[in-house]
Amino acid sequence: YPLSGHVANLSVLFAFCKQYDKIICTSPEDGGYPGLSHDKLPRYLNLKTDYLPYDNGLLNIDLLTEMFRQNNYKLLFFSSAHTLFPEDIKTIKKTIDKLDSNTLIIYDASHPLGLIAGGEFQKPLSEGADIMLGSTQKSFPGPQGGIILADNEELFKTIDSSLHFVTVDNPHFHRIAALCITLEE
């Protein structure tokens, strides 16, 4: 019941900021969501932010591996504000699993959510993302709001504990009902 994709991102950050001190995400220069840049949400939660090493639009796996060896990131956000192509989540998951980093992969589906739901884009959760979140009113035709999905019940409980009375005080049940109807369709 987050009220926007931004609040969904904030809720996930709140859920884990006490455990971790650093995130890695897509930089605004590479099309990443500006709300996750080092001077926005992470700053207010005392999280350091590093950026995924893109090279002409492609993720540099060798440089990413070296960055993980040096920093042992626990939260990786694919946070594109300008989603044009799928991310290679499977390769990233294999790469970081080899490093035994126990990193959570969070995929911000704000822009392609409708395409994902319609089966016309990648499937982040089945490709290795631990959490998928996003806005519900862009390519997904629902009401203004946010959504957080996870296959792991314990992981979702951790996130849920940061929603009510932390990032969302009033869940706006009329919006949730409209979202449920859209999800059913």
Side-chain angles (χ1 to χ4, degrees), residues 46-122:
N46 294 317
L47 293 167
K48 297 177 185 104
T49 305
D50 285 337
Y51 296 118
L52 293 165
Y54 284 93
D55 211 359
N56 293 322
L58 298 174
L59 196 55
N60 183 325
I61 300 296
D62 293 335
L63 186 53
L64 180 67
T65 301
E66 186 55 36
M67 290 174 73
F68 262 85
R69 283 191 180 118
Q70 292 177 12
N71 294 283
N72 195 23
Y73 302 102
K74 297 300 180 188
L75 300 173
L76 183 157
F77 282 80
F78 284 111
S79 56
S80 181
H82 305 286
T83 306
L84 298 177
F85 304 103
E87 295 286 356
D88 190 359
I89 298 171
K90 288 180 183 178
T91 300
I92 304 309
K93 180 77 171 162
K94 286 179 190 173
T95 301
I96 60 179
D97 282 352
K98 286 180 189 174
L99 299 171
D100 200 28
S101 68
N102 295 319
T103 301
L104 293 176
I105 297 176
I106 300 103
Y107 184 93
D108 186 339
S110 289
H111 294 274
L113 186 60
L115 297 171
I116 292 168
E120 298 297 325
F121 203 63
Q122 71 182 108

Side-chain angles (χ1 to χ4, degrees), residues 11 107 168:
S11 298
Y107 184 93
V168 177

Side-chain angles (χ1 to χ4, degrees), residues 8-25:
N9 273 296
L10 179 62
S11 298
V12 170
L13 288 172
F14 260 124
F16 299 104
C17 71
K18 291 178 184 162
Q19 298 170 331
Y20 310 121
D21 64 349
K22 188 182 280 194
I23 68 168
I24 187 166
C25 63

Side-chain angles (χ1 to χ4, degrees), residues 141-181:
Q144 166 73 39
I147 193 165
I148 302 172
L149 305 167
D151 284 339
N152 178 307
E153 189 174 336
E154 290 303 313
L155 185 61
F156 190 79
K157 283 180 184 178
T158 301
I159 297 165
D160 189 51
S161 70
S162 73
L163 284 167
H164 201 225
F165 294 120
V166 178
T167 58
V168 177
D169 183 35
N170 182 345
H172 296 192
F173 294 112
H174 64 287
R175 187 195 61 77
I176 294 171
L179 177 60
C180 288
I181 291 168

